[in-house]
Amino acid sequence: MIVGKCPYCDGNVIAQKLSVQGQKVMLYTCENATKEYDLTESYVFSAEATCRFRIYSNALKHWNKRSIGQYEIKNLLEDGRIKVRLHGRKGTREYFKYAITDAEYGISILWDEEVHQ
Ligand SMILES: [Zn+2]
């Protein structure tokens, strides 16, 4: 399923269901950012890959956002940034931050920018 246009190369960004270590996750990947296992079993960009855009739906789990949904990715691709709801450790309240695409990490949070609701 296509969720939008890649911010880096104008290819299509495709949502794929994956199972990683028994956990179901979505991968949002540019069609030109294919990965494969090389001879040493390392998971690397394939020789044909011309792009690096890949975001896993659990990319923000460290901030207790369980999953990034398809609509969030769609908005991220259209607007260049999205508001994400994050949580502190158990019992602390939720808060909002902006997230943008990141060439190295796929998605990154703008910690210094306040979100006014
Ligand atoms: Zn791309």
Side-chain angles (χ1 to χ4, degrees), residues 6-13 30-33 50-53:
C6 175
Y8 305 140
C9 77
D10 247 18
N12 288 317
V13 173
C30 173
E31 60 190 348
N32 298 316
T50 54
C51 188
R52 293 286 184 269
F53 184 86

Side-chain angles (χ1 to χ4, degrees), residues 8 52 102-107:
Y8 305 140
R52 293 286 184 269
D102 183 292
E104 193 172 349
Y105 301 107
I107 190 167

